[in-house]
Amino acid sequence: MLLQAEDVGMYFGGFRAVDGASLTINQGEIIGLIGPNGAGKSTFFNCLVGDLKPSKGRVLFDGHDVTNASPEEHAKLGIGRTFQLPATFEELTILENVMVGAFLRHPRVKDARENAQRVLDLTGLTALADQKAKSLGTPGRKRLEIARVLATEPKLMLLDEALAGLTPSEVQLAIELVRQIHQSGITLVIVEHIMEVILSLTDRVLVFNQGKVIASGAPTDVVNDPAVIEAYLGRSLNKKREQNT
Ligand code: ADP
Ligand code: MG
């Protein structure tokens, strides 16, 4: 077992954004996390990586209790996450942005640069290495965000809507990239609204609704679960119906 979150809660005042969620991740898995906007997925990620201290519960990673550990300690132990709104250094080049991640394990500039270049190769950004980050369009930004995390050499990577805003053909390329990352030995948890991504990549899916895990299982079973359709697909279908009337 690589990560175990037990009964994690995150409260903002009286509001329970995450309300007793548990998750066990085994080495080598790709887990999908789905659910409507506001269900608590990003907040749960924040609790897993040390960006928020959970109001209750416990998080174990690779044999360590990381419930109250800092984001830096999490990164050192090997948990990396992408941000739904990427924190890119706009005035730095793409290579330099990735080097920021590589410095975690490679304090010498030369080593950090070499490792960052290796990550740029994997993520298809080599040709853009010397451009400033601010010059990037959406697909490049998504890749840079993934590259920045990869450069920290995580054992577990949490992708928070890392493929949102891509065109269908860009999504296909991004799915290939995620497969390659997985094949390189990294365990993954993916928050994604694009059902095709979830169905084609994940071994197991958890459905979040109102801060709780309301269903989990094989991706095809989960998307056919009536409770899931009601909470998630039903709601978006209703929204579409409202828009059409
Ligand atoms: P998701 O990622 O599933 O769309 P979030 O985890 O971003 O959902 O948000 C879950 C709920 O928690 C939302 O209602 C959001 O407004 C609320 N929330 C998130 N962060 C905070 C915060 N720092 N303070 C107060 N409420 C928050
Ligand atoms: Mg979110």
Side-chain angles (χ1 to χ4, degrees):
M1 180 213 315
L2 188 57
L3 181 136
Q4 187 171 18
E6 291 171 359
D7 196 29
V8 168
M10 186 70 228
Y11 311 151
F12 299 110
F15 176 68
R16 300 184 171 203
V18 178
D19 193 10
S22 297
L23 166 65
T24 300
I25 305 171
N26 297 310
Q27 178 88 43
E29 279 190 298
I30 307 188
I31 294 177
L33 201 60
I34 63 172
N37 279 328
K41 305 179 298 295
S42 293
T43 305
F44 187 49
F45 268 15
N46 287 335
C47 292
L48 299 184
V49 302
D51 286 336
L52 287 172
K53 306 267 174 275
S55 311
K56 73 159 179 175
R58 202 160 75 120
V59 183
L60 306 174
F61 179 73
D62 210 13
H64 303 263
D65 187 329
V66 295
T67 316
N68 293 302
S70 68
E72 293 72 25
E73 289 168 304
H74 279 79
K76 270 271 181 214
L77 286 170
I79 309 183
R81 67 88 62 89
T82 66
F83 286 94
Q84 198 169 342
L85 302 171
T88 310
F89 297 102
E90 296 291 318
E91 294 294 332
L92 296 187
T93 68
I94 287 153
L95 174 63
E96 288 163 344
N97 266 279
V98 178
M99 283 174 71
V100 173
F103 278 123
L104 180 73
R105 313 236 180 247
H106 306 283
R108 291 170 53 198
V109 173
K110 180 171 171 288
D111 297 342
R113 186 182 296 119
E114 278 172 16
N115 279 278
Q117 278 162 341
R118 189 177 49 76
V119 170
L120 290 180
D121 272 344
L122 176 67
T123 51
L125 288 169
T126 298
L128 306 174
D130 297 325
Q131 291 187 21
K132 285 192 176 177
K134 66 180 177 189
S135 71
L136 283 175
T138 303
R141 276 177 188 275
K142 296 288 172 182
R143 277 174 187 262
L144 176 56
E145 179 64 2
I146 290 172
R148 187 186 60 74
V149 180
L150 271 180
T152 67
E153 300 173 24
K155 294 181 181 139
L156 172 66
M157 210 168 151
L158 311 179
L159 301 180
D160 195 355
E161 302 198 26
L163 313 188
L166 299 181
T167 66
S169 63
E170 289 161 358
V171 167
Q172 288 309 320
L173 291 171
I175 287 175
E176 275 318 304
L177 173 59
V178 174
R179 281 220 176 90
Q180 269 180 296
I181 291 169
H182 180 239
Q183 277 161 9
S184 78
I186 298 174
T187 304
L188 290 156
V189 184
I190 303 176
V191 167
E192 200 49 79
H193 286 299
I194 309 166
M195 219 31 88
E196 189 195 350
V197 171
I198 294 293
L199 291 173
S200 59
L201 281 174
T202 65
D203 308 315
R204 190 153 65 89
V205 172
L206 276 79
V207 185
F208 250 66
N209 193 33
Q210 297 181 348
K212 289 189 166 75
V213 178
I214 59 161
S216 66
T220 44
D221 294 343
V222 162
V223 296
N224 291 314
D225 181 326
V228 174
I229 293 166
E230 171 65 26
Y232 183 38
L233 306 171
R235 190 178 297 188
S236 58
L237 286 177
N238 286 336
K239 219 181 273 166
K240 284 215 186 77
R241 275 190 212 115
E242 279 161 27
Q243 281 163 0
N244 289 339
T245 53

